[in-house]
């Protein structure tokens, strides 16, 4: 890796997060209605709504609110929820453990499964097994999360009674002690995110398996397992690492739907609740966490891929 690559890539990542922060603040300010309208509802008079807006600071100019928000960010303060009065960081921390458990469990299933499917089909490209497996994972990828979740609940919870339909009453690490409640949410996320990663690994393995260096290694009498582990898989890994980052991005979007569907009190459901309540500081806090996570994961993937591809190491 050249000395200039890492600082340049980190600088770009920081600018991306700052750009997203400004965009999120501007777009959330354009949401129709506000917290005062949601709190007072249809029974609030125009005078009461205006008084509550002044109390919550919603009548301040856009530039002043943006400056105060950025000043708070520099102190690690994401503001205060307009609805509950609690710090936004506390609201986000409450759901972080639940989303972390759900995401980590999903990745623990996806990574080895995608690797097995990708290698198996990549080594047998064009075979009936390859076509069958790819057809199945593409079909699963084409079903929206909410539709797949409802189908699984109808079959395994309501029809067969094997699994609980929701995780109501459980959150954070308590989910680990009740693994049955995680089966359906994890299954939905795995079915939706498996396709792209497995197909990327398949393409990389198929290309590396027929490359000149692989044929050359076989001509020197290396065993097939050695060729696979030392030459095929390492060369197929670089594009798969970047696809892995996109899979994590997809999971962040998927948990918003899955947590709402299965009553999991995580970051996704908290974000939806904040949007419904027009709780702008909380919406901005959640969006910033999602953006920072996405940028960080892609930054790590780019650096890892850069290290794995030999031709990049000597480039500026």
């Amino acid at each position: 890796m050249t000395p200039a690559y890492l600082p340049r890539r980190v600088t770009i990542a920081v600018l991306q997060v700052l750009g997203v922060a400004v965009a999120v603040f501007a777009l959330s300010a354009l949401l129709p209605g506000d917290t005062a309208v949601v709190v007072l509802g249809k029974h609030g008079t125009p005078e009461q709504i205006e008084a509550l807006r002044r109390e919550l600071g919603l009548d301040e100019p856009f530039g002043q609110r943006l400056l105060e928000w950025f000043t708070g960010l520099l102190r690690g303060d994401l503001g205060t929820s307009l609805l509950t009065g609690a710090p936004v960081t506390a609201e986000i921390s409450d759901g972080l453990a639940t989303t972390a458990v759900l995401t980590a469990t999903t990745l623990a299933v996806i990574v080895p499964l995608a690797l097995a499917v990708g290698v198996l089909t990549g080594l047998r490209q064009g075979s009936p097994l390859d076509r069958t497996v790819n057809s199945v994972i593409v079909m699963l990828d084409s079903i929206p999360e909410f539709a797949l979740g409802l189908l699984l609940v109808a079959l395994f919870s309501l029809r067969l009674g094997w699994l609980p339909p929701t995780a109501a009453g459980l959150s954070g690490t308590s989910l680990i002690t009740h693994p049955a409640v995680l089966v359906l949410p994890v299954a939905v996320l795995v079915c939706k995110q498996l396709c792209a990663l497995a197909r990327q690994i398949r393409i990389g393995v198929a290309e590396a398996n027929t490359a000149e260096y692989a044929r050359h290694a076989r001509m020197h009498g290396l065993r097939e397992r050695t060729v696979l582990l030392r030459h095929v898989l390492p060369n197929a890994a670089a594009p798969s690492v970047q696809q892995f980052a996109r899979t994590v991005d997809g999971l962040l979007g998927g948990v918003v739907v899955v947590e709402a569907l299965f009553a999991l009190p995580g970051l996704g459901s908290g974000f939806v609740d904040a949007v419904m309540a027009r709780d702008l500081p909380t919406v901005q806090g959640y969006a910033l966490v999602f953006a920072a996570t996405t940028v960080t994961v892609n930054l790590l993937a780019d650096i890892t891929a850069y290290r794995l591809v030999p031709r990049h190491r000597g480039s500026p």
Side-chain angles (χ1 to χ4, degrees), residues 35 38-39 52 55-56 79-92 94 270 273-274 277-283 286:
T35 307
V38 173
V39 170
L52 185 55
E55 180 182 343
L56 297 175
T80 303
S81 169
L82 299 179
L83 199 63
T84 65
V88 172
T89 49
E91 299 259 350
I92 293 175
D94 289 342
D273 292 342
R278 305 296 192 272
D279 190 350
L280 298 188
T282 308
V283 171
Y286 276 114

Side-chain angles (χ1 to χ4, degrees), residues 37 78 82 87 111 115 149 158 185 231 253 259 271 274:
V37 175
L78 294 177
L82 299 179
V111 172
L115 185 62
L158 303 181
H231 301 282
E259 287 179 357
F271 178 68

Side-chain angles (χ1 to χ4, degrees), residues 151-164 184:
L151 289 173
L152 293 178
V153 168
L155 176 60
F156 293 104
S157 301
L158 303 181
R159 177 80 174 179
L160 301 175
W162 290 353
L163 295 167
L184 293 183

Side-chain angles (χ1 to χ4, degrees), residues 39-101:
V39 170
L40 295 176
K42 61 182 180 181
H43 302 295
T45 65
E47 293 76 16
Q48 290 173 322
I49 292 175
E50 193 59 35
L52 185 55
R53 282 192 179 124
R54 285 196 298 274
E55 180 182 343
L56 297 175
L58 298 175
D59 61 336
E60 294 177 354
F62 173 82
Q64 182 178 342
R65 285 186 286 139
L66 177 61
L67 180 62
E68 291 176 354
W69 189 61
F70 260 106
T71 305
L73 284 183
L74 296 177
R75 301 192 307 268
D77 180 11
L78 294 177
T80 303
S81 169
L82 299 179
L83 199 63
T84 65
V88 172
T89 49
E91 299 259 350
I92 293 175
S93 299
D94 289 342
L96 184 60
T98 298
T99 300
V101 169

Side-chain angles (χ1 to χ4, degrees), residues 236-285:
S240 302
V241 169
Q242 292 174 320
Q243 181 57 51
F244 174 77
R246 289 190 284 273
T247 299
V248 175
D249 294 344
L251 283 179
L252 290 178
V255 295
V256 174
V257 177
V258 169
E259 287 179 357
L261 185 61
F262 292 96
L264 286 161
L267 296 182
S269 56
F271 178 68
V272 172
D273 292 342
V275 172
M276 295 293 290
R278 305 296 192 272
D279 190 350
L280 298 188
T282 308
V283 171
Q284 292 153 1

